[in-house]
Amino acid sequence: MKITDIKVTTVSANFEWVLVKVLTDQDELTGIGEAFTGPGVKELILAESEHGLGKDRGIWSLRHLLIGEDPTNVERLARKVYTALSGIIGTAGSIVQVISGVETALWDIAGKALDAPIYKLLGGKYRDKIRIYADCHAGESEDPESWARRAKEVKEKGFTAMKFDVDKPSHRAVGYNRCLTNPEIKTMAGQVEAVRQAIGDDIDLAVDCHWKYNTNDAIRLANALEPYNLLWLEDPVPPENVDAMKKVTASTNTPICTGENLYTKHGFRRLIETQAVDIISPDVSKVGGLSESKKIADMADLYYMAVAPHNIASPIGTVAACHVCASIPNFLALEYHAIDIPWWGKLIKQEQSLISEGYIEVPEKPGIGIELDEEEVAKHLKQGERLF
Ligand code: MG
């Protein structure tokens, strides 16, 4: 079996969902994946560009690197692209996002070719259904009552865990100094308190800061939120400074989580080795794909850290992540960021709702185990896009 082409289609929703299709020389056998969105992602797959001098002059193109290859050599092909293109594009960012989308599609092909769901190729499953947490964003206003209302709505949908963004409205920290005032911490704690009262103690609650604050103010915030028994406080400080993150983690009983902005095993190595957080949140569609995510989870498991993957994807990226979540021991919860997109689940051919009572059942069909409804996808394309 050989790869014959790679195609891309972008869906426009609350985020752009970059869907990657890998075609093979076996008529019916194609693979689907999703790459985390961003400038240059689609271009990296499709573009061709000359570089080098004299007889070493060559064309770099992800398609050229993969066409003619056996798609079931998933890990080698991901490394081939990373090795060939990192000199021009770097070792993080769009190149790794592209690899993530293509790697997922290769797993889909490998699973279909071997008549096995992807999770079996990753070593089998620890669980039959994947716990999903709903990203709720924030209340309609600063008023804690509006946060409580939002929390109750989400709880009624059956979710057992949810997350709110306390750094919203985003005017906070626009002074660029990363400082939090006492009134701001009080407002945030009031909102979290209102949510906790609305959902009760049995529903898990996480809180996101989007790397806005300095170390000391992040510690003050984490301590102020301790009474509400958070599942985690996410990105209280920027993730680049592992020492600062470790200091926050060591200074509070609130569990600390980071990872959505990190790429590959290398991006996680020091964070994990120094036990700078309690929970890591790699994004499977961004960090390098399914294999890379599983390896990162294994590294974290050495230090008894849990994994709660970040996810803003369509059903394709979400279910791909479910195969990883099924195959690792230290899974905690997987993000769902499309609670306000009513057609999210319609992008796949499936009668029953993909998420039921806050869980996704791990698919048993070969490959990724879900099929794109291309007629529905065509209704939501980004302006100027064509379907594959
Ligand atoms: Mg986040």
Side-chain angles (χ1 to χ4, degrees):
M1 181 166 42
K2 302 233 181 311
I3 295 171
T4 54
D5 206 354
I6 303 176
K7 299 192 169 184
V8 188
T9 285
T10 305
V11 172
S12 181
N14 52 344
F15 298 94
E16 287 179 0
W17 296 329
V18 184
L19 304 174
V20 181
K21 189 189 262 190
V22 175
L23 285 69
T24 71
D25 59 358
Q26 307 205 357
D27 280 351
E28 297 298 308
L29 203 46
T30 61
I32 189 83
E34 182 168 352
F36 193 95
T37 184
V41 168
K42 180 177 177 180
E43 291 74 10
L44 264 175
I45 294 176
L46 302 179
E48 296 188 355
S49 177
E50 292 191 36
H51 72 102
L53 289 170
K55 67 178 173 51
D56 292 331
R57 191 164 187 82
I59 295 173
W60 66 260
S61 150
L62 187 137
R63 283 174 68 247
H64 278 194
L65 287 167
L66 295 182
I67 287 173
E69 289 276 9
D70 178 344
T72 61
N73 289 321
V74 180
E75 294 202 7
R76 184 180 68 75
L77 296 186
R79 186 167 285 228
K80 180 182 183 183
V81 172
Y82 185 77
T83 306
L85 301 185
S86 58
I88 296 168
I89 305 156
T91 55
S94 55
I95 179 64
V96 182
Q97 291 162 224
V98 165
I99 289 171
S100 308
V102 173
E103 191 256 18
T104 301
L106 297 182
W107 276 119
D108 188 30
I109 293 171
K112 288 169 180 167
L114 297 166
D115 198 26
I118 291 173
Y119 78 80
K120 287 202 178 184
L121 307 183
L122 296 175
K125 63 182 174 183
Y126 283 88
R127 51 195 65 80
D128 297 325
K129 52 184 194 171
I130 302 304
R131 189 187 188 202
I132 303 298
Y133 78 85
D135 185 289
C136 307
H137 188 55
E140 282 170 13
S141 69
E142 292 275 40
D143 178 11
E145 260 312 299
S146 75
W147 289 57
R149 264 199 308 279
R150 176 72 163 160
K152 277 185 200 152
E153 283 167 18
V154 173
K155 183 183 174 182
E156 278 164 17
K157 292 179 195 288
F159 290 97
T160 64
M162 60 182 79
K163 184 168 84 181
F164 278 83
D165 299 337
V166 285
D167 62 313
K168 302 288 188 287
S170 52
H171 61 74
R172 287 187 194 131
V174 289
Y176 302 108
N177 63 6
R178 301 200 179 98
C179 293
L180 273 171
T181 63
N182 287 338
E184 281 172 335
I185 291 178
K186 199 172 168 186
T187 298
M188 293 153 117
Q191 289 159 343
V192 173
E193 181 181 28
V195 170
R196 175 53 82 204
Q197 282 175 355
I199 61 177
D201 289 333
D202 294 345
I203 302 291
D204 278 322
L205 173 61
V207 164
D208 198 346
C209 301
H210 298 96
W211 46 90
K212 290 245 173 64
Y213 308 120
N214 68 46
T215 309
N216 190 52
D217 287 344
I219 292 168
R220 293 199 301 132
L221 175 63
N223 288 340
L225 299 181
E226 281 181 359
Y228 312 113
N229 293 320
L230 295 184
L231 187 59
W232 70 74
L233 182 67
E234 183 169 320
D235 286 308
V237 293
E240 302 88 4
N241 187 329
V242 170
D243 298 318
M245 192 70 77
K246 185 175 167 68
K247 187 175 176 187
V248 176
T249 300
S251 305
T252 178
N253 288 327
T254 298
I256 303 297
C257 171
T258 192
E260 69 180 80
N261 282 354
L262 301 176
Y263 291 91
T264 75
K265 297 184 290 290
H266 304 289
F268 279 87
R269 182 172 64 85
R270 201 161 163 265
L271 184 81
I272 291 171
E273 283 178 353
T274 61
Q275 302 178 68
V277 286
D278 304 288
I279 298 158
I280 58 164
S281 53
D283 188 308
V284 176
S285 301
K286 185 179 186 183
V287 77
L290 280 61
S291 281
E292 197 76 0
S293 300
K294 185 168 192 295
K295 288 168 187 172
I296 292 164
D298 287 340
M299 285 160 60
D301 192 49
L302 288 174
Y303 299 92
Y304 321 132
M305 289 178 187
V307 182
H310 176 260
N311 174 47
I312 59 166
S314 80
I316 295 296
T318 302
V319 172
C322 284
H323 285 280
V324 176
C325 297
S327 71
I328 59 173
N330 46 343
F331 167 70
L332 177 57
L334 171 66
E335 183 166 6
Y336 167 60
H337 212 300
I339 204 162
D340 297 320
I341 309 292
W343 45 268
W344 181 84
K346 293 186 181 152
L347 293 177
I348 56 168
K349 291 178 184 169
Q350 187 163 303
E351 288 293 308
Q352 68 277 33
S353 171
L354 191 56
I355 301 176
S356 173
E357 295 299 307
Y359 285 81
I360 294 179
E361 245 178 79
V362 181
E364 292 296 337
K365 289 181 185 162
I368 194 168
I370 53 170
E371 196 185 338
L372 213 50
D373 185 334
E374 295 198 355
E375 269 180 40
E376 186 68 23
V377 172
K379 294 180 192 167
H380 306 287
L381 295 180
K382 183 184 173 185
Q383 206 172 9
E385 281 283 304
R386 283 193 315 196
L387 184 64
F388 296 113

